[in-house]
Every structure is written in structure tokens, then in C-alpha cells.
Amino acid sequence: EAQVTQNPRYLITVTGKKLTVTCSQNMNHEYMSWYRQDPGLGLRQIYYSMNVEVTDKGDVPEGYKVSRKEKRNFPLILESPSPNQTSLYFCASSLSAGTGWEPQHFGDGTRLSIL
Amino acid sequence: AQKVTQAQTEISVVEKEDVTLDCVYETRDTTYYLFWYKQPPSGELVFLIRRNSFDEQNEISGRYSWNFQKSTSSFNFTITASQVVDSAVYFCALSEVRGGGADGLTFGKGTHLIIQP
């Protein structure tokens, strides 16, 4: 089954404690991205990757890091989480970048709470 | 810069009524793509439709229909004979081709649709 898998689904942690949210897709997609969803703001893109070892900032990259060492994985790293990063996070992938023809497939979301 | 506006924060209707969700977008590109996603209470994002900027034909899928009008930069979504299961947050989104070729989605803030039995 084609899917985007995020882990964990829920996490409560404390300020400053490094965390990683994993994202994996089994569709051999080139393009992957991370979004955060906040009440009243919709979804905003954090980072995206057009292919292995190619990453770039989205609209709200501050406080986040990503890596793309393998095609299937695109982890989101919070080196020193802060309460303003409490949010619902979505990973997405699509076949290729630059066309828009392929809809992005979204994971089920990760709800992070930073105390 | 691109922008998507969903002016209706929340809509509440009684089951079986028709309801239209508005979406207005801004872009300087001539080539772009528009999407609607549904987010049910369980939280996942469900893709509903994609439309490219060169195709202004309206589309109907069962009880769902979409009206794309470039002249007014709108891409509205209508649910006919609404059902309780349609209750969700609906997002309109725009995709441009950026300088590097990547097409991130710019989302509207969403419309919370409540269908009352």
C-alpha cells in the first residue's frame, strides 16, 4: 500500500530536548516536504527536498533542520525545541517536483507538544 | 507572492442542504495548480481535486463540484445534499513552480464545515 509514514504520531516533550520526527514514503517519490498546521493559520511549509541531498527552506524554517540521505526518508529535526513549535506536523511526498500534476500524499500527522 | 484566502472560517448547515466553500487566490504565475483537501476530525489530509491553470472546466464528482474562474481568481467547492460525514475542515491550496522547480503548496486557513443532522 502506497503511504507516507510519520513517527511518532504524538509526542509531549520539554523545551530544549532535541527530537526527530521521522517520515518515510514507499512510492519512490522524489519530492518530500514538511508542513506545520496551526489554528487559524492553515498549513505552512517548513522545508522541502527535491531529491536526495537536495533540501531547501520553505516559508517557516526557523528552528528546524532536515536531511535527505535516502530517497525514502526525510526526517524533521528540532535541535532545541521551544513552546512555539507546538503544532501538528505533516510530511508529504509527490512523484516529482516542478509540475504540480501529482497531488502531494500526506502522512497522518504528528502532534507535538513542547512544554 | 502567492496567497490563498478562504474567507469563511466556519459554516454550519443542516443535512441535505447544499453548501459552497469559497476560495480566492493570488499569484503572478501563468502556470499554477489549485487543490482542495479535506481534513476530517481524525486529522489526516485527504486529497479531493487538482486543477491546472489552463483548464477552466468545472468538475463534478458525485455530490462534489468545483467552479474554477480565472477571471475572478476563484476556485469554489460545492457540496450538494450535504451529509454529516462531510463535516470536516476543508483547505484550498495553490501550487506554483518556484525558481528551483519545487512546487510547495500554499494553503488557505481552512473552512470548518459543520453538517447538523
Side-chain angles (χ1 to χ4, degrees):
Chain A
E1 180 189 350
Q3 58 185 4
V4 178
T5 304
Q6 296 178 225
N7 279 297
R9 293 291 313 281
Y10 305 91
L11 178 63
I12 301 174
T13 187
V14 296
T15 298
K17 185 177 181 182
K18 180 180 178 179
L19 68 92
T20 299
V21 184
T22 63
C23 175
S24 180
Q25 49 90 6
N26 63 359
M27 296 168 278
N28 202 35
H29 283 173
E30 290 183 352
Y31 183 87
M32 298 185 73
S33 62
W34 277 101
Y35 296 84
R36 61 177 288 174
Q37 181 182 0
D38 301 291
L41 296 178
L43 283 86
R44 295 175 292 168
Q45 192 180 48
I46 304 170
Y47 268 94
Y48 62 91
S49 169
M50 294 171 63
N51 214 322
V52 176
E53 302 292 0
V54 181
T55 64
D56 208 344
K57 297 177 181 178
D59 299 315
V60 288
E62 295 76 22
Y64 304 95
K65 286 175 57 177
V66 293
S67 69
R68 188 89 181 274
K69 294 184 170 57
E70 309 164 276
K71 201 170 189 178
R72 63 182 291 126
N73 296 324
F74 190 45
L76 179 69
I77 303 158
L78 285 70
E79 294 269 2
S80 183
S82 62
N84 65 10
Q85 293 177 298
T86 293
S87 187
L88 177 59
Y89 291 85
F90 287 97
C91 180
S93 74
S94 59
L95 186 60
S96 62
T99 65
W101 287 104
E102 290 294 321
Q104 293 192 24
H105 300 258
F106 284 84
D108 287 339
T110 294
R111 190 168 292 281
L112 282 183
S113 294
I114 316 295
L115 305 177
Chain B
Q2 66 272 21
K3 183 179 178 182
V4 176
T5 301
Q6 295 179 255
Q8 304 148 310
T9 304
E10 183 173 290
I11 300 174
S12 181
V13 300
V14 177
E15 197 172 20
K16 297 183 184 175
E17 286 185 11
D18 299 347
V19 58
T20 295
L21 309 182
D22 298 332
C23 173
V24 175
Y25 62 93
E26 296 176 25
T27 177
R28 285 177 288 188
D29 284 6
T30 55
T31 302
Y32 53 88
Y33 307 89
L34 295 163
F35 302 80
W36 276 94
Y37 284 86
K38 174 182 179 180
Q39 186 176 45
S42 49
E44 72 273 20
L45 285 163
V46 179
F47 166 76
L48 295 178
I49 190 172
R50 173 193 68 242
R51 173 69 73 224
N52 77 64
S53 54
F54 299 109
D55 182 1
E56 287 193 71
Q57 282 191 344
N58 294 329
E59 180 154 340
I60 298 174
S61 177
R63 296 184 296 107
Y64 295 172
S65 62
W66 291 269
N67 185 316
F68 176 29
Q69 293 195 341
K70 287 179 75 171
S71 61
T72 55
S73 297
S74 64
F75 186 43
N76 297 336
F77 172 32
T78 297
I79 301 175
T80 303
S82 60
Q83 300 176 1
V84 172
V85 293
D86 296 326
S87 296
V89 179
Y90 290 86
F91 291 99
C92 180
L94 168 71
S95 174
E96 295 177 333
V97 179
R98 297 182 181 172
D103 52 345
L105 288 168
T106 297
F107 283 84
K109 295 181 180 180
T111 297
H112 185 197
L113 178 62
I114 301 168
I115 310 297
Q116 299 178 13

